[in-house]
């Protein structure tokens, strides 16, 4: 069987692959499960924090559109019912009411502690509390210990407290009750400011008939947000889904999951078992992500077909869906086994067009804004300029703009102005006539403009274009005509120009290096890609990029260990995405078949920078800071390399490399024995 997880975000660096949860996170903690338990049609609602000024503008009715739409929708729902700056308005129900509520779901909630036991220890070690609230938002159960439990007590995250949106504003538990899908609320995304110190992950728990039983939530302090909280919610929700299925199953109505797995695997094509709310419980090895995505749109039709007593219906991408429903004694739908049967190949196939901007899908608000503006400007013929540091993906974005434009069927021609000698750049761009200069081809040559006719010309590093060529480019942009070098006949090219630079064009204009009239022409629409170090989704993006690297290298999908994610998030990445890609290629090569990328698998510069940053906050230089950190760790451990590595947060092999690099000898352990 293939194990599937629900539509989990990568915004917190949760490592996903067909093998289930990340290996480093699941070893010894019992987190890996066998079901895909969340509704295919209900992806995570990931609410990221916004600035205080943005929130104030929203409250005053100004620039509400500047907030991310999902967050704005949630805040608008409760803005007139909750005081955003008021004190905690928690109401705690009496103990007898809590017991009555627990008795209402007694069949399975009494087994809740056992179901959560597998994740409790690791959650407590990582300073999380795990709570379960019923369908009214009343917390019925909480686990957690240590100082995080004290923090939870102070915030009234305790049994009996009510966490409905009407009382608490936007929060993971209350918003999950309304949205009926997984929700993450980070820091200042909470509407009430008294909860800005927390990050919370929650997911709904349903019964067999699709009715909401309650919400499972993992909470920690905002500055310690990490993948484990979300991972624990995934695993524990899956455990509860199995538990609910067992305790609420009427005798003889449902087959054991192990039996269903065997039946699905005997079918030659894709096959899944779907719960009453559209959640896929198990899927056969032949089932791909395409079929799982199709269920989002086809599930209402499946429900209608089963209700009408039909046993099949046409599939979205051709073929037939065979349906085998399971119902309770009253005939209410509990589960459906769905089998994809393929028809004979058709003579014509309609291929769904891929979203050109899929590579830029991200929860990072800056990147979302860039993507939104790029989508809006793509259908126009307006010249665009992409401004960002080297390696951020300017050419990828330019290609996406081309693919989303009316010129998508035309050529996309990239030209790096910084890689061509100034003396030959004009002939490269415009072409040249026969005999235009010594060494010219006898028949002349068409330039990049002619090759881009009907499409898009991408001028990378446009700031390096010599002044004479800037003038010629400006004339072309104004008139759409040009002439080849050594030729007087005017030619025409229908070309859209997208420029890019990593330099400050406005500053170059002020310095007299770049023509102001050309700047005004190509700079009318500027798109600024954020550098990698400023992206809020860096950890998730790194794992996504690692998946791509593994696929390209034809190796099993690897995952990033927590220490590796921390190193990636703290490194400054001067080479941005390009540097990160090559760092991950290096890591995959060093990782081999281990499947988990540790810090020592990353390039040494990144691992060492991470070690120095984590141990020494202020030193004259990074090199000296790293050396001093190494010396202190070795002295404290009396030459014990394993202990020194633990202090630095790196592998033993990294400590040996650092010692060799800085010429540091291994200290001799102090002999603590005394002569008698």
């Amino acid at each position: 069987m293939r194990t599937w997880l629900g539509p989990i975000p990568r915004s917190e660096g949760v490592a996903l692959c067909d093998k289930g949860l990340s290996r480093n996170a699941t070893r010894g903690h019992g987190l890996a499960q066998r079901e895909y338990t969340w509704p295919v049609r209900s992806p995570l609602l990931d609410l990221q924090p916004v600035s205080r000024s943005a929130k104030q503008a929203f409250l005053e009715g100004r620039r509400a559109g500047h907030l991310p739409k999902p967050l704005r929708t949630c805040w608008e729902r409760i803005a007139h019912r909750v005081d955003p700056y008021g004190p905690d308005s928690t109401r705690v129900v009496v103990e007898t009411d809590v017991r009555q509520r627990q008795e209402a779901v007694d069949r399975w909630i009494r087994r809740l502690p056992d179901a959560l036991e597998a994740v409790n220890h690791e959650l407590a070690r990582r300073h999380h509390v795990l709570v379960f609230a019923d369908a009214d938002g009343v917390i019925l159960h909480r686990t957690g210990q240590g100082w995080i439990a004290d923090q939870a007590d102070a915030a009234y995250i305790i049994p009996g407290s009510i966490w409905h949106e009407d009382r608490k504003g936007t929060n993971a538990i209350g918003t999950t009750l309304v949205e009926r899908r997984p929700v993450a609320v980070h820091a200042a995304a909470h509407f009430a400011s008294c909860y800005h110190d927390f990050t919370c992950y929650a997911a709904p728990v349903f019964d067999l008939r699709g009715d909401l039983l309650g919400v499972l939530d993992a909470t920690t302090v905002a500055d310690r947000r990490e993948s484990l909280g979300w991972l624990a919610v995934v695993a524990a929700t899956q455990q509860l889904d199995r538990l609910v299925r067992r305790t609420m199953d009427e005798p003889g109505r449902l087959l054991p999951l192990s039996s269903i797995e065997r039946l699905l695997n005997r079918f030659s094509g894709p096959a899944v078992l779907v719960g009453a709310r559209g959640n896929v419980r198990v899927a056969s090895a032949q089932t791909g992500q395409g079929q799982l995505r199709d269920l989002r749109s086809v599930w209402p039709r499946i429900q209608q077909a089963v209700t009408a007593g039909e046993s099949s219906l046409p599939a979205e991408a051709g073929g037939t869906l065979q349906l085998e429903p399971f119902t309770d004694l009253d005939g209410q739908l509990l589960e459906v086994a769905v089998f994809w049967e393929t028809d004979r190949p058709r003579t014509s196939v309609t291929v769904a067009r891929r979203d050109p901007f899929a590579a830029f899908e991200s929860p990072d608000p800056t990147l979302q804004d860039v993507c939104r503006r790029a989508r809006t400007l793509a259908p126009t013929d307006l010249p665009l300029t992409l401004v960002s540091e080297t390696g951020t993906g300017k050419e990828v974005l330019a290609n996406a703009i081309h693919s989303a434009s009316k010129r998508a069927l035309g050529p996309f021609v990239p030209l790096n102005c910084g890689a061509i000698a100034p003396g030959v750049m004009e002939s490269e761009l415009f072409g040249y006539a026969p005999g235009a200069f010594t060494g010219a081809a006898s028949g002349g040559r068409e330039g990049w403009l002619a090759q881009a006719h009907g499409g898009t010309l991408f001028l990378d590093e446009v700031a390096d274009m010599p002044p004479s060529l800037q003038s010629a480019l400006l004339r072309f942009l104004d008139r759409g005509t040009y002439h080849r070098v050594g030729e007087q006949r005017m030619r025409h090219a229908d070309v859209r120009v997208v420029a890019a630079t990593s330099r400050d064009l406005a500053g170059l204009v002020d310095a007299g290096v770049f023509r102001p009239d050309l700047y005004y022409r190509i700079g009318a629409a500027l798109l600024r890609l954020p550098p990698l170090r400023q992206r809020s989704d860096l950890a998730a993006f790194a794992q996504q990029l690692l998946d791509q690297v593994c696929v390209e290298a034809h190796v099993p999908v690897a995952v990033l260990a927590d220490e590796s994610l921390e190193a990636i998030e703290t490194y400054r990445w001067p080479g941005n995405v390009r540097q990160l890609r090559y760092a991950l290629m290096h890591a995959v090569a060093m990782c081999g078949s281990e499947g988990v990328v540790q810090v020592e698998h990353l390039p040494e510069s990144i691992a060492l920078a991470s070690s120095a940053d984590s141990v020494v906050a202020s030193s004259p230089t990074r090199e000296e800071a790293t050396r001093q950190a190494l010396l202190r760790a070795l002295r404290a451990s009396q030459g014990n390399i394993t202990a020194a590595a633990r202090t630095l947060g790196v592998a033993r092999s990294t400590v040996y490399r650092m010692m060799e690099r800085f010429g540091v000898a291994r200290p001799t352990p102090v002999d603590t024995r005394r002569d008698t």
Side-chain angles (χ1 to χ4, degrees), residues 61 156 188 197 343 348 352 396 413 428 469 473-474 476 490 494 506 518 529 545 562 576 597 655-656:
Y156 287 94
D197 292 336
D343 294 337
S348 62
V396 177
V413 178
E428 290 288 326
L469 195 56
L473 177 61
L474 179 62
F476 170 75
M490 299 303 295
D494 178 20
L518 179 59
L529 282 168
L545 194 59
D562 289 343
N576 291 290
V597 173
V655 174
Y656 282 118

Side-chain angles (χ1 to χ4, degrees), residues 282-306:
V282 290
S284 69
Q286 292 78 24
T287 306
Q289 289 282 15
Q291 285 82 22
L292 293 177
R293 283 194 297 267
D294 289 345
L295 283 174
R296 298 184 186 182
S297 57
V298 81
W299 176 244
R301 294 171 51 209
I302 292 177
Q303 290 178 303
Q304 294 171 4
V306 170

Side-chain angles (χ1 to χ4, degrees), residues 34 126 170 204 214 236 252 255 263 490 512 587 600 642:
R34 296 183 63 82
R126 299 293 187 93
T170 301
L255 291 173
L263 289 174
M490 299 303 295
E600 61 265 26
T642 301

Side-chain angles (χ1 to χ4, degrees), residues 205 221 454:
V205 180
V221 290

Side-chain angles (χ1 to χ4, degrees), residues 7-9 12 14 38 44 128 182-184 200-203 218 226-235:
I8 307 164
E12 286 301 308
V14 179
W38 289 340
L44 170 85
H128 288 70
V183 173
C200 310
Y201 308 94
E226 57 174 319
S227 63
L228 183 78
W230 186 246
L231 190 64
V233 171
V234 173

Side-chain angles (χ1 to χ4, degrees), residues 26-47:
T26 59
R27 284 177 181 165
H29 307 312
L31 298 182
Q33 299 296 324
R34 296 183 63 82
E35 303 104 311
Y36 174 104
T37 58
W38 289 340
V40 188
R41 59 190 176 185
S42 302
L44 170 85
L45 177 62
D46 191 19
L47 302 179

Side-chain angles (χ1 to χ4, degrees), residues 434-462:
F437 49 83
T438 303
S442 58
R445 180 174 296 174
E446 299 294 341
W448 294 107
L449 269 180
Q451 295 184 37
H453 179 69
T456 301
L457 177 66
F458 175 57
L459 296 177
D460 197 7
E461 300 302 339
V462 70

Side-chain angles (χ1 to χ4, degrees), residues 39 45 217 446 556 627 657 660:
L45 177 62
D217 169 274
E446 299 294 341
R627 182 176 180 276
R657 286 198 299 269
E660 181 180 358

